[in-house]
Amino acid sequence: MAEPAAATSSSSLKRTPLYALHVSLGGKMVPFAGYEMPVQYAPGVLKEHLHTRSHAGLFDVSHMGQVALVPKSGKVADAAAALERLVPQDIVGIPAGRQRYAQFTNAEGGILDDLMVANFGEHLVLVVNAACKEADIQLLRDGLSDVCDVQPLTDRALLALQGPKAAGVLAKFCADADAMRFMDSGPRMVDGLACFVSRSGYTGEDGYEISVPADKAEQLAEALLSDKDVLPIGLGARDSLRLEAGLCLYGHDIDTSTTPVEAALEWSVQKVRRSGGARAGGFPGADKILAQFDSGAARRRVGLRPEGRAPVREGATLFATADSTEPVGKVTSGGFGPTLNAPVAMGYVPTALAALDTQLFADVRGQRLPLRVAATPFVPNTYKR
């Protein structure tokens, strides 16, 4: 999950608690979702990407929104049931100490944002995308204030430590780190600081996201970066890593014009919320989304592997044949996959053309480049199940 860059003047851009550290480390700062964020450091996107795949990378994701949903009754199940009014996922069934991926949907079944929902035992904690967080908080207040106090956690930063060496590194600072499983989430002490830690991330690698008090974020980041296996990683490598992992970028691969079924996110909607389930429907756009579960959708997000070396970028039009004049779809994310040493992309095509190995053609500067529908993730994930 992530967010599109926002076109804003430098004077109106916000800064995360790690801004000064990014500058001191030589980060190249760019506008992103209303913030000044590092797109890369001196090693460059390629080396940062490969280092995360082989060692561990530290990402600043403090621009994202963190929100607590505190049930007025004192019962976390009440907050979970209330949140199910806004998302198609089974929130009631999330055990304490675990988290789940979800989407806010609208009345047409489109995706307003994607988010993570964690059960902290007495309340829920949500992480939402930076570009959507104000709208998301208003959505939560409008929809849930009868049951929950909606509390933005504006005094916290968020770090992501990702890669095969992440567990070994974090274990030096957090006694519980190695025992955590993929999607475990909750309060943990990290380097003597009261943090929230989840074993998850946005790279396809094993790793953690660490919510830390904002005034201690630089201290914790410097402690993690003191390990020889850890490098700071910018937005450029974050994007290429998530693309290789086949993960959606909000505002690009998913948005208000795409449903969870069209986006190939059926796995994220548990059976209890589908037709015939104990709590079927009851979320915005349920009629359309559940009909697509039952009868299929007209189009689908697919992985794409260009057959040559040239990357096929976002916005490229897709055609069924090399000489057809009628477009059949569009690329929503695309670039070079450093791990694969080859280009990769994702996009939407008619369901009839979504089968693996289907030949398609992308229009790139007037040339029709061949590509094929491919399975995602492009690089196998290494989550600790």
Side-chain angles (χ1 to χ4, degrees), residues 2-4 33 112-114 128-137 250:
E3 56 291 308
L112 294 167
D113 196 11
D114 60 344
V128 302
N129 286 311
C132 304
K133 62 184 174 183
E134 280 77 17
D136 290 347
I137 289 166
Y250 188 79

Side-chain angles (χ1 to χ4, degrees), residues 128-251:
V128 302
N129 286 311
C132 304
K133 62 184 174 183
E134 280 77 17
D136 290 347
I137 289 166
Q138 193 59 52
L139 180 74
L140 291 164
R141 286 177 169 154
D142 290 345
L144 308 185
S145 287
D146 58 328
V147 177
C148 301
D149 289 323
V150 179
Q151 300 176 0
L153 304 176
T154 55
D155 59 346
R156 303 192 74 84
L158 191 64
L159 307 177
L161 183 67
Q162 300 281 291
K165 301 291 183 71
V169 171
L170 192 60
K172 300 172 186 177
F173 302 93
C174 175
D176 302 328
D178 197 50
M180 295 177 73
R181 295 173 298 140
F182 180 59
M183 292 299 219
D184 279 354
S185 183
R188 300 286 193 282
M189 296 301 294
V190 183
D191 200 26
L193 302 171
C195 295
F196 310 150
V197 180
S198 66
R199 194 161 192 168
S200 60
Y202 194 52
T203 61
E205 294 293 333
D206 182 24
Y208 304 84
E209 292 195 335
I210 308 160
S211 172
V212 58
D215 61 353
K216 302 296 185 183
E218 187 169 318
Q219 172 188 326
L220 180 57
E222 288 180 334
L224 295 169
L225 288 168
S226 70
D227 192 291
K228 62 179 174 53
D229 285 325
V230 183
L231 285 181
I233 310 296
L235 294 171
R238 186 170 185 250
D239 192 54
S240 57
L241 288 158
R242 70 91 195 169
L243 178 55
E244 287 187 340
L247 299 173
C248 293
L249 176 63
Y250 188 79

